């Protein structure tokens, strides 16, 4: 049995489905701080399986202890975290308490229950403003906000734990920018409040839920002047987790890998790809650069390919088409 924390969130829900399709047994936990219980019904419809799920907080030891007593958990994929960069600067204690407190609580209970296989949701944020792209895993680590710090500290805690007990096996997965949705349009990204990321903002403008898209600067040193990032289809990312937990279960050594496509697309590339899919122009307004933004970064994903046999295969067009299907079938997200 694999435990997924943050199981009903954006990446968790897509990973849950891919794990079930690959024949794994899964139990999920989530406190719905940034997701909806409707996900559970959708996943049951997509997988044709009854789900094991418990509503609860990973910071609560009693909940986790009960979960480990009830299920023979062999490994954990830990998604549960708060992830809004701006909010993390405004409320750092909340981020350290939830992301670090939850991780420590979980690791303690895993240790007590003799479970030492772990997949950690890290982030490209740990690189901060990288000196050059493609970014390799051995680049400098210098996160620029409390959220990114929680990811780097999480990695450090796990590395110390591994050093203390070689039975631990950890996959450190550094994600670039997941976008898109499952091709059914039944599950997708549905952040509470105002989204922070480009793709949900573009699709909200396309759907008429927002008037226009703010573009933070068009004078960056990039081919069209707008920022360039490595967007990865969330289903490709989910499949990276299936490969990672299978790798860990096979007893191979811990690994740290970038999960990205290795290709950078600009804000305008994403806007144009959405316009093609939607068939109408998307209103954009160029405003000042945001402090802390960088011109360009994209992954070198070759280590993930070499060690996990994993590679992102879905195109930007497919990311936008699937993202738009989710948005148009669920104009108000899971509340629709
Ligand atoms: N989406 C991205 O761009 C991105 C990039 C890099 C890393 N990550 C990391 O990947 C993981 C998943 O991200 P996501 O995009 O699916 O985010 P998400 O917010 O959609 O999912 C996280 C889930 O965790 C739950 N959660 C948060 N704190 C919890 C707690 N204390 N107890 C139980 N559940 C809790 C939320 O309700 C949510 O369902 C996070 O750790 C995030 O930091 C995300």
């Amino acid at each position: 049995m694999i435990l997924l924390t943050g199981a009903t969130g954006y990446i968790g829900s897509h990973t849950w489905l891919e794990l079930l399709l690959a024949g794994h047994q899964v139990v999920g936990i989530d406190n719905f701080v940034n997701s909806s219980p409707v996900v559970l019904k959708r996943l049951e419809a997509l997988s044709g399986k009854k789900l094991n799920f418990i509503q609860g907080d990973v910071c609560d030891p009693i909940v986790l202890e009960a979960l480990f007593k009830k299920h023979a958990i062999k490994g954990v994929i830990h998604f549960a975290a708060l992830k809004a960069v701006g909010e993390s600067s405004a409320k750092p204690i909340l981020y350290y308490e939830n992301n670090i407190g939850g991780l420590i609580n979980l690791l303690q209970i895993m240790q007590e229950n003799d479970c030492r296989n772990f997949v950690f949701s890290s982030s490209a944020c740990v690189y901060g403003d990288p000196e050059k792209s493609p970014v390799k895993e051995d680049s400098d680590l210098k996160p620029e906000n409390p959220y990114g710090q929680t990811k780097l500290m999480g990695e450090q805690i796990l590395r110390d734990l591994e050093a203390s007990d070689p039975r631990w096996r950890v996959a450190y997965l550094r994600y670039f920018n997941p976008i898109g949705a499952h091709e059914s349009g039944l599950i997708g990204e549905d952040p509470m409040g105002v989204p922070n990321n480009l793709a949900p903002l573009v699709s909200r403008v396309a759907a008429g839920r927002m008037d226009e898209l703010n573009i933070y600067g068009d004078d960056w040193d990039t081919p069209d002047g707008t920022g360039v990032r490595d967007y990865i289809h969330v289903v490709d990312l989910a499949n990276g987790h299936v490969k990672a937990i299978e790798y860990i279960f096979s007893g191979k050594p811990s690994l740290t890998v970038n999960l990205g496509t290795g290709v950078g697309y600009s804000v305008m590339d994403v806007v144009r790809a959405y316009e093609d899919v939607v068939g109408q122009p998307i209103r954009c307004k160029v405003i000042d650069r945001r402090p802390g933004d960088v011109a360009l970064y994209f992954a070198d994903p070759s280590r993930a390919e070499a060690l996990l046999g994993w590679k992102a295969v879905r195109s930007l067009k497919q990311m936008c088409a699937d993202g738009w299907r989710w948005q148009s079938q669920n104009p108000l997200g899971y509340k629709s």
Side-chain angles (χ1 to χ4, degrees):
M1 179 73 79
I2 298 168
L3 171 62
L4 288 195
T5 73
T8 48
Y10 175 44
I11 307 171
S13 55
H14 289 82
T15 302
W16 197 344
L17 180 60
E18 296 306 312
L19 284 167
L20 292 175
L21 296 177
H24 292 284
Q25 292 204 313
V26 179
V27 55
I29 181 171
D30 204 296
N31 64 358
F32 300 128
V33 69
N34 197 36
S35 57
S36 158
V38 177
V39 171
L40 300 166
K41 290 200 191 75
R42 303 275 176 100
L43 284 175
E44 288 193 338
L46 284 167
S47 66
K49 296 196 171 135
K50 179 108 192 60
L51 302 185
N52 284 309
F53 177 77
I54 170 170
Q55 180 176 352
D57 193 319
V58 293
C59 298
D60 181 345
I62 294 166
V63 170
L64 287 190
E65 268 156 21
L67 198 59
F68 275 83
K69 280 227 160 54
K70 185 160 177 215
H71 300 280
I73 294 167
K74 202 173 140 203
V76 176
I77 307 181
H78 182 48
F79 294 109
L82 298 173
K83 64 164 184 180
V85 167
E87 187 187 51
S88 80
S89 297
K91 299 178 183 168
I93 303 284
L94 175 68
Y95 273 67
Y96 289 114
E97 182 183 41
N98 191 70
N99 296 5
I100 301 298
L103 174 66
I104 291 176
N105 189 38
L106 177 61
L107 295 174
Q108 262 163 350
I109 288 159
M110 286 179 68
Q111 209 165 26
E112 282 161 24
N113 286 276
D114 228 2
C115 174
R116 295 182 183 79
N117 295 313
F118 200 76
V119 175
F120 182 59
S121 289
S122 188
S123 167
C125 271
V126 296
Y127 299 118
D129 179 2
E131 246 138 60
K132 60 176 188 323
S133 281
V135 184
K136 288 185 181 296
E137 290 82 354
D138 58 5
S139 302
D140 289 349
L141 303 177
K142 35 183 179 54
E144 298 194 328
N145 48 64
Y147 166 70
Q149 291 289 1
T150 68
K151 292 297 169 187
L152 182 56
M153 285 179 192
E155 288 199 11
Q156 191 55 54
I157 291 166
L158 286 158
R159 290 185 206 283
D160 288 344
L161 194 56
E162 279 194 74
S164 74
D165 181 346
R167 290 174 297 175
W168 279 91
R169 290 281 178 283
V170 182
Y172 303 84
L173 306 183
R174 295 181 180 155
Y175 318 152
F176 280 67
N177 298 70
I179 65 170
H182 188 261
E183 61 181 6
S184 62
L186 286 178
I187 54 172
E189 184 169 21
D190 183 23
M192 305 282 167
V194 181
N196 295 286
N197 300 335
L198 176 64
L201 287 168
V202 176
S203 56
R204 281 186 191 200
V205 176
R209 277 178 80 182
M210 286 174 53
D211 289 342
E212 58 193 6
L213 176 78
N214 284 336
I215 296 180
Y216 299 99
D218 62 354
D219 54 355
W220 296 97
D221 186 14
T222 61
D224 66 18
T226 62
V228 168
R229 297 289 179 272
D230 186 332
Y231 297 98
I232 173 170
H233 195 295
V234 66
V235 175
D236 281 333
L237 187 62
N239 282 318
H241 292 75
V242 178
K243 294 280 191 193
I245 193 80
E246 289 173 350
Y247 172 98
I248 291 292
F249 284 159
S250 74
K252 292 190 186 128
S254 296
L255 85 171
T256 304
V257 290
N258 289 332
L259 296 183
T261 62
V263 180
Y265 287 107
S266 74
V267 174
M268 286 318 295
D269 290 333
V270 175
V271 170
R272 301 280 174 252
Y274 252 94
E275 286 177 338
D276 278 352
V277 165
V278 175
Q280 68 183 55
I282 290 172
R283 276 186 62 177
C284 301
K285 185 167 94 186
V286 177
I287 59 171
D288 288 347
R289 294 178 178 194
R290 280 181 303 195
D293 262 358
V294 299
L296 154 153
Y297 72 89
F298 55 92
D300 175 346
S302 57
R303 191 194 277 178
E305 187 173 359
L307 295 179
L308 297 177
W310 169 91
K311 199 174 169 198
V313 293
R314 290 165 176 80
S315 65
L316 180 63
K317 187 161 184 207
Q318 192 169 352
M319 299 179 212
C320 297
D322 290 342
W324 177 240
R325 191 174 307 107
W326 153 253
Q327 173 67 50
S328 45
Q329 288 179 18
N330 307 271
L332 298 175
Y334 289 109
K335 282 198 268 327
S336 301

